[in-house]
């Protein structure tokens, strides 16, 4: 295999650039060529390719976002679109592909593998909702970004007898909210995976207020309801002045943490080397601190579970 391509797809996440750099530099190290594909699968269909030599990936290690841009491609969901993509790759002499993205992107990667194009996935999403890896690229940065914002709110909450409801990202999975809740010492966390009793929550809030707890923090995953909806539902909180904060897209941006830079560098190098030794249809994972490969299908067929230990900690330590 002499020429390997790399693309980023789906939502961007901090650390994607470090993964791109690692794929490109591993190619150079092994005497291979690396091609960057612009705007995910859309660029694959359009043949929007750019050579990634050593210098092209210089100075991007700590930059947020992705230099290759990312997109959602409806055309790639069709057989016709995928065939065009494949012929564009063949015309450009591309013999293997690294796909950096979430479970949707891995669906696409698997279809390319089935069409005979060697493909390896790297999990890049701030949601951490991909089975087959302990962490996805961008998750640690997003947790730290959200934590910093929450800690500022905590300071003002304690000065005013306030209840803060902070809505964080997590449409279908509660990994980010749960980690933020433990790290911020939040009193409650509301995640999509667990049923929510508003009555119960109100009762606990009233008890907290009676016990003279000056502030209370609820970390809410956006997938459950909006923070404003929750505020409306929490009718009787026993005297807390409820305030709402929606962290939104700030959680996606920013420079990656050292953890994400190291994880992305390891995953990028491992993905490129795996392609070079003939592996395909697999995703890279970090399991118990070691690089692993597992079937791409795991990303969408297997549910990754929240840590019961962390859930208990929120309950125990509040
Ligand atoms: P994130 O969840 O972080 O946004 P993701 O990779 O899951 O990342 P998606 O929007 O689900 O993001 O997928 C990205 C792209 O992958 C889609 O725009 C589409 O081009 C391709 N894709 C997703 N699912 C499929 C599928 N079933 N078949 C073919 N291509 C797909």
């Amino acid at each position: 295999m002499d020429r390997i391509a790399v693309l980023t797809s789906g939502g961007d996440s901090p650390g994607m650039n470090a993964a791109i750099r690692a794929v490109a530099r591993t190619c150079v190290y092994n005497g291979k060529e690396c091609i960057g594909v612009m705007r995910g699968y859309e660029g694959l269909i359009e043949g929007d390719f750019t050579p990634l030599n050593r210098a092209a990936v210089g100075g991007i290690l700590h930059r947020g976002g992705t230099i290759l841009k990312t997109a959602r491609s409806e055309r790639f969901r069709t057989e016709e679109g995928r065939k065009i993509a494949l012929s564009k790759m063949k015309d450009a002499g591309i013999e293997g592909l690294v796909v950096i993205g979430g479970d949707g992107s891995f669906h696409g990667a698997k279809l390319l593998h089935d069409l005979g194009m060697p493909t390896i996935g790297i999990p890049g999403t701030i949601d951490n909702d991909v089975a087959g890896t302990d962490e996805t690229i961008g998750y640690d940065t997003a947790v730290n970004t959200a934590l910093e914002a929450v800690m500022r709110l905590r300071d003002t909450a304690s000065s005013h007898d306030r209840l803060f409801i902070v809505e964080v990202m997590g449409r279908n999975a509660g990994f980010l909210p749960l980690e933020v809740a433990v790290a911020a010492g939040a009193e409650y966390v509301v995640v999509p995976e667990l049923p929510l009793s508003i009555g119960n929550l109100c009762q606990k809030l009233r008890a907290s207020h009676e016990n003279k707890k000056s502030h209370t923090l609820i970390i809410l995953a956006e997938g459950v309801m909006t923070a404003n909806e929750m505020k409306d539902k929490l009718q009787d909180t026993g005297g807390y002045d409820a305030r709402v904060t929606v962290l939104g897209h700030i959680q996606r941006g920013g420079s990656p943490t050292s953890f994400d830079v190291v994880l992305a560098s390891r995953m990028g190098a491992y993905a490129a080397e795996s392609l070079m030794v003939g592996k395909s249809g697999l995703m890279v994972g970090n399991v118990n601190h070691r690089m692993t490969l597992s079937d791409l299908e795991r990303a969408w067929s297997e549910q990754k579970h929240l840590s019961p230990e962390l859930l208990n900690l929120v309950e125990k330590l509040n």
Side-chain angles (χ1 to χ4, degrees):
M1 185 173 293
D2 289 323
R3 195 171 284 169
I4 289 174
V6 56
L7 62 80
T8 47
S9 168
D12 65 305
S13 65
M16 279 184 165
N17 280 327
I20 295 165
R21 173 182 176 272
V23 171
R25 295 237 165 128
T26 302
C27 285
V28 173
Y29 182 80
N30 287 281
K32 320 277 183 203
E33 258 184 82
C34 186
I35 303 288
V37 180
M38 302 305 296
R39 295 173 294 110
Y41 292 122
E42 199 58 19
L44 213 51
I45 292 172
E46 288 171 10
D48 192 356
F49 304 144
T50 180
L52 293 182
N53 58 22
R54 226 187 159 282
V57 293
I60 65 167
L61 188 58
H62 299 103
R63 226 201 280 167
T66 155
I67 57 160
L68 295 177
K69 310 241 187 286
T70 174
R72 308 207 191 258
S73 171
E74 283 314 306
R75 282 196 289 172
F76 192 78
R77 290 178 184 272
T78 67
E79 208 180 322
E80 199 197 337
R82 290 193 293 274
K83 282 192 176 149
I84 299 173
L86 195 68
S87 76
K88 288 277 163 69
M89 289 174 83
K90 289 197 167 151
D91 290 349
I94 292 166
E95 296 166 293
L97 176 69
V98 176
V99 171
I100 307 170
D103 59 336
S105 304
F106 284 2
H107 255 110
K110 170 72 168 66
L111 292 167
L112 282 175
H113 160 80
D114 292 342
L115 286 170
M117 174 57 65
T119 307
I120 297 279
I122 294 181
T125 165
I126 64 166
D127 297 326
N128 200 28
D129 57 347
V130 181
T133 187
D134 294 343
E135 301 92 9
T136 55
I137 295 171
Y139 171 61
D140 184 68
T141 306
V143 167
N144 280 287
T145 305
L147 176 64
E148 198 188 320
V150 169
M151 292 318 286
R152 284 168 204 263
L153 292 171
R154 237 207 135 105
D155 291 343
T156 166
S158 54
S159 324
H160 296 279
D161 245 21
R162 270 180 191 161
L163 160 67
F164 261 101
I165 306 166
V166 186
E167 183 187 317
V168 303
M169 281 188 172
R171 213 165 295 151
N172 305 306
F175 295 97
L176 178 62
L178 178 55
E179 188 104 1
V180 171
V182 175
E187 280 68 21
Y188 307 99
V189 62
V190 182
V191 290
E193 289 90 338
L194 294 177
L196 165 69
S197 161
I198 289 286
N200 234 333
L201 186 52
C202 284
Q203 206 177 354
K204 286 180 180 170
L205 289 170
R206 286 195 298 273
S208 289
H209 201 260
E210 274 165 26
N211 287 337
K212 305 267 180 279
K213 200 163 173 26
S214 67
H215 59 269
T216 292
L217 195 57
I218 301 176
I219 304 292
L220 167 69
E222 62 180 353
V224 179
M225 66 179 85
T226 68
N228 275 311
E229 281 166 350
M230 175 167 267
K231 184 182 172 197
D232 291 344
K233 283 180 197 268
L234 294 178
Q235 289 296 332
D236 182 10
T237 57
Y240 283 118
D241 177 19
R243 296 292 162 103
V244 159
T245 299
V246 180
L247 295 189
H249 275 84
I250 61 154
Q251 294 161 93
R252 245 187 218 296
S255 297
T257 56
S258 63
F259 181 89
D260 273 329
V261 171
V262 173
L263 179 70
S265 300
R266 292 173 71 205
M267 286 185 163
Y270 199 71
E273 277 162 2
S274 299
L275 275 176
M276 288 173 204
V277 297
K279 306 274 188 202
S280 178
L282 303 167
M283 61 163 272
V284 176
N286 184 41
V287 179
N288 294 329
H289 311 290
R290 295 185 65 165
M291 289 290 102
T292 57
L293 290 172
S294 58
D295 288 341
L296 282 168
E297 289 101 314
R298 277 189 78 181
W300 62 89
S301 61
E302 191 179 315
Q303 209 201 333
K304 188 166 163 183
H305 296 289
L306 292 179
S307 155
E309 185 201 349
L310 288 191
L311 284 165
N312 275 334
L313 276 185
V314 179
E315 181 84 27
K316 268 193 241 170
L317 307 183
N318 74 10

